Amino acid sequence: MIGPFFAVTAAVLFGLSSPLAKVLIGSIDPWLLAGILYLGSGVGMAFIQLIRTFGSQKPTQIKIATKELPWLAGVIFFGGISGPVLLMYGLSYTTASTASLLLNLEGVFTAGLAWIVFKEHYDRRIVLGMLAIILGGIVLSWVPGITLKSLIGPLLVGAACFSWGVDNNLTRKISLNDPILITMIKCLGAGTTNLIIALSFGARLPNLMLLSEAVVLGFV
């Protein structure tokens, strides 16, 4: 029962992330928010890593092979830098409900890239299932009177899903490493990068209350 419980809990928290981020976007610059969210996640992972390191009699492997560093760099860029920024800007142009539905495209892009680029096996049923996800997302997120401007948000969310699809495939290349360590490095590196970029373009840090909310949301 533990496995299904964690899976359902993760799904619920993932579903909450877009609506809550949408609320914060009204008060925090989207690029800055992407950085704060991932920094919050990185800090949370660092805290967990410390507990594991000092609370376990068996030392945690923290070394990453040199040959895996390019894959890790790709994970940080696509999964931690570009993906969150594209999603935050996508949320600023569309509703949270539409964005949540379109986030199902991440699985489609992940599978498609695995088939086309990494030559993984696929069969007709899987392909039909992915097409059903695409058509379902289009039908459920379609609104009357659609214009080019109204497509900006969904296209940005779709681009974010593509970035995370690349991220998922690259993560597979380093999946033998400790997952908490990889997540911590990814989130801290990407969050810091996006925070610096946003501030350099003139974004201002929010007040302490909003900042705390964003950090907690990132950790969750």
Side-chain angles (χ1 to χ4, degrees), residues 186-211:
K186 169 185 172 180
C187 293
L188 288 176
T192 301
T193 300
N194 277 334
L195 189 67
I196 292 173
I197 293 174
L199 292 174
S200 67
F201 277 99
R204 294 186 177 183
L205 289 173
N207 60 53
L208 184 59
M209 179 64 71
L210 287 173
L211 182 60

Side-chain angles (χ1 to χ4, degrees), residues 1 3 17 24 29 33 53 90-91 96 116 118 139 144 156 173 190 195 203 220:
M1 291 295 294
S17 62
L24 292 174
D29 175 82
L33 180 58
T53 300
L91 281 171
I116 297 170
F118 296 97
V139 170
L156 288 171
K173 296 292 186 178
L195 189 67
V220 172

Side-chain angles (χ1 to χ4, degrees), residues 125-160:
R125 290 180 303 171
I126 297 176
V127 174
L128 291 175
M130 293 301 169
L131 290 174
I133 292 175
I134 295 173
L135 292 175
I138 293 174
V139 170
L140 292 173
S141 60
W142 184 268
V143 292
I146 192 167
T147 63
L148 182 60
K149 184 178 180 180
S150 65
L151 285 174
I152 295 176
L155 287 174
L156 288 171
V157 175

